[in-house]
Amino acid sequence: MKASLLKGPGSIEDRPLVMEEVEQPSPRAGEVLLRVKACGICRTDLHVVEGELDRKLSPVIPGHQVVGIVEELGDGVTNLSRGQRVGAAWLHRTCGRCRFCITGRENLCDLAEFTGWTVNGGFAEFMIADANFVYPIPERFEDIHAAPLLCAGIIGYRALRLTDISDWKNARLGIFGFGAAGHVSIQIARARGADVYVATRDRSRHQKLAEELGAVWIGGTFDKPPVALDAAIIFAPAGEIVPAALASLDKGGKLVLGGIHMSPIPAFEYELIYGERSIQSVANNTRDDGREFLREAAEIGLQVSTETFELSALNDALRALKTDAIKGAGVVMME
Ligand SMILES: [Zn+2]
Ligand SMILES: [Zn+2]
């Protein structure tokens, strides 16, 4: 099968991903073989490719927002059938036994495996998934629009949950960094009744998209929204945004950091966090997050803005992501 392989991390400008013919994998017990239809591009792929995440499997096929068709069932798989369309996401598998798994926090599992990082992912014609960790895709979403939901969408959803906003009607939510996750989250938050304030460095694409999706205020990354926010989410991987985002919060407000990697957070005055403001990171997701998100996304008719790339252009796609040159979400379509 054709695959985009990372043999060693490197700057995306040096085009570290190479197209190669590799052996098609076979599913073991409890696994399925998926024929990949679409695979979304995520900043985490960029972190894997550029080595900001430790190397786990090498060479590795990145990609963890995969829409595919079940092609082959491993022994003992009874919950899926051949020909079914499913999604595979970042959380490839958990142990099911550790103190996190048995208390509803499988996103923190000590022994978790991750798609496109510790096991091969979806930038290939086929991939292996655990039968218990794939999601049926609501019919209303085409392959291309379903793919970005599987990471950007699910993580955005979990970030919204972690804001601790309980009464969404007219809640004031800030979103700092407006790529794939931002443009999904704003739609969920707006549908729940929140007013959303968007701060993003890209003046053309991202600010225009935020406007189209109903942001009540749009500013540059370090601009202060005109009101004190109940909560804010930072999706950009830039630690220097943290003090600015904290300064935009009302007392008791929560700042949620949505990325798996962030540059160092500069020191800031205690005053910025005093008043019972707090900061929380988001680590991965549980399967419940995924299921609930896909249900709510289908209910509200979530619209996904996408840009299509071919598998052979993955280096270009990730470079575009790095420079904020993609409006919405980038997706690699197979064939
Ligand atoms: Zn576990
Ligand atoms: Zn991702």
Side-chain angles (χ1 to χ4, degrees):
M1 66 171 188
K2 277 204 292 285
S4 187
L5 270 189
L6 179 73
K7 293 184 174 175
S11 168
I12 196 65
E13 287 76 18
D14 297 332
R15 311 182 70 79
L17 290 155
V18 288
M19 281 284 279
E20 270 188 23
E21 195 66 35
V22 301
E23 200 182 331
Q24 184 179 314
S26 309
R28 293 173 299 182
E31 296 178 337
V32 288
L33 178 71
L34 302 181
R35 180 159 47 84
V36 178
K37 305 281 283 179
C39 184
I41 296 159
C42 171
R43 197 167 283 278
T44 302
D45 298 317
L46 191 59
H47 295 322
V48 169
V49 168
E50 296 202 313
E52 278 138 347
L53 295 186
D54 290 344
R55 206 189 313 191
K56 299 287 184 185
L57 175 69
S58 187
V60 64
I61 303 169
H64 58 271
Q65 308 183 81
V66 189
V67 176
I69 304 294
V70 176
E71 184 88 2
E72 210 181 305
L73 304 171
D75 286 345
V77 176
T78 55
N79 63 327
L80 300 170
S81 48
R82 284 193 57 180
Q84 193 178 344
R85 184 174 73 143
V86 296
W90 174 241
L91 192 66
H92 173 77
R93 180 185 288 139
T94 58
C95 78
R97 295 183 306 274
C98 72
R99 66 195 191 284
F100 296 110
C101 282
I102 62 175
T103 52
R105 297 178 292 164
E106 64 182 4
N107 59 307
L108 303 178
C109 175
D110 285 330
L111 297 168
E113 298 274 1
F114 298 100
T115 311
W117 183 33
T118 69
V119 298
N120 282 327
F123 292 130
E125 288 177 290
F126 294 91
M127 71 164 268
I128 297 292
D130 186 301
N132 289 320
F133 283 80
V134 295
Y135 305 89
I137 303 286
E139 207 141 294
R140 69 176 300 155
F141 295 115
E142 291 172 42
D143 297 337
I144 186 170
H145 296 135
L149 301 181
L150 291 161
C151 181
I154 296 175
I155 294 298
Y157 186 83
R158 186 170 178 84
L160 288 172
R161 167 179 291 167
L162 295 179
T163 61
D164 290 341
I165 293 175
S166 52
D167 183 5
W168 283 89
K169 188 83 195 124
N170 298 122
R172 291 165 299 187
L173 175 73
I175 294 179
F176 289 75
F178 200 71
H183 99 282
V184 170
S185 307
I186 189 176
Q187 295 179 62
I188 300 269
R190 294 267 303 129
R192 291 175 180 178
D195 294 333
V196 182
Y197 299 77
V198 172
T200 174
R201 69 177 173 179
D202 181 273
R203 300 237 161 226
S204 48
R205 289 181 201 81
H206 294 181
Q207 293 195 357
K208 186 160 182 301
L209 185 58
E211 196 181 314
E212 288 164 15
L213 294 174
V216 296
W217 173 89
I218 301 160
T221 314
F222 299 100
D223 294 346
K224 195 167 181 175
V227 298
L229 304 174
D230 297 311
I233 305 170
I234 299 181
F235 286 119
E240 64 268 24
I241 300 175
V242 170
L246 275 177
S248 74
L249 288 183
D250 204 351
K251 283 180 284 188
K254 187 124 174 228
L255 176 60
V256 177
L257 311 182
I260 192 169
H261 170 82
M262 187 177 242
S263 58
I265 300 170
F268 53 82
E269 296 293 334
Y270 181 57
E271 192 190 337
L272 280 186
I273 200 165
Y274 185 67
E276 302 197 341
R277 295 171 180 89
S278 59
I279 303 178
Q280 172 159 23
S281 66
V282 179
N284 318 313
N285 66 278
T286 65
R287 280 171 282 178
D288 282 345
D289 292 325
R291 294 184 195 109
E292 286 167 28
F293 164 66
L294 288 169
R295 196 181 316 127
E296 192 167 338
E299 270 167 26
I300 68 167
L302 193 129
Q303 300 286 318
V304 189
S305 166
T306 53
E307 197 170 315
T308 307
F309 296 89
E310 285 180 23
L311 185 60
S312 57
L314 189 53
N315 286 304
D316 302 316
L318 286 170
R319 199 177 53 213
L321 178 73
K322 189 176 181 178
T323 55
D324 284 343
I326 298 176
K327 183 181 171 187
V331 181
V332 167
M333 296 299 290
M334 299 305 293
E335 284 156 310

